[in-house]
Amino acid sequence: MVQTSALEFQRKFGEFQHQAQREPVEITRHGRREFVLMSAEHYDWLTAAAKRTTRTVDATQVVIDAVERAEMDPEHTALDELLK
């Protein structure tokens, strides 16, 4: 991802506008990421992808049954302590 400062972004807005058609442009202020400029097409794709996610409470009974039957690999047994 292309990265630029807010000051440089202001000076070369047209260049970054064209760049954002190809890939997102990260804009920083005081060295910290503050904005990301991207094409409308990329934004639409991201918002559509977010809507395609499924909430756990909406899981079908088949999925719930499969999760209940699932077993964790023994190498991850230490993670059980995090649930206590």
Side-chain angles (χ1 to χ4, degrees):
M1 181 182 319
V2 175
Q3 186 178 43
T4 186
S5 68
L7 184 60
E8 187 73 9
F9 178 76
Q10 287 175 333
R11 281 191 225 151
K12 298 181 179 179
F13 175 75
E15 285 181 38
F16 291 114
Q17 189 176 21
H18 291 297
Q19 183 72 31
Q21 291 297 328
R22 294 186 298 279
E23 65 179 320
V25 176
E26 186 174 84
I27 304 163
T28 62
R29 180 177 278 168
H30 304 294
R32 284 180 267 148
R33 189 173 96 165
E34 191 158 310
F35 300 102
V36 176
L37 178 68
M38 67 183 75
S39 68
E41 181 180 344
H42 191 138
Y43 174 79
D44 291 343
W45 182 88
L46 285 174
T47 55
K51 291 177 185 175
R52 286 191 301 268
T53 60
T54 305
R55 299 178 332 144
T56 306
V57 295
D58 297 333
T60 63
Q61 192 59 46
V62 172
V63 172
I64 294 169
D65 293 343
V67 170
E68 288 175 346
R69 287 191 312 274
E71 294 183 21
M72 186 166 55
D73 188 311
E75 77 177 76
H76 301 296
T77 303
L79 297 175
D80 286 337
E81 293 300 315
L82 297 174
L83 299 173
K84 295 178 182 177

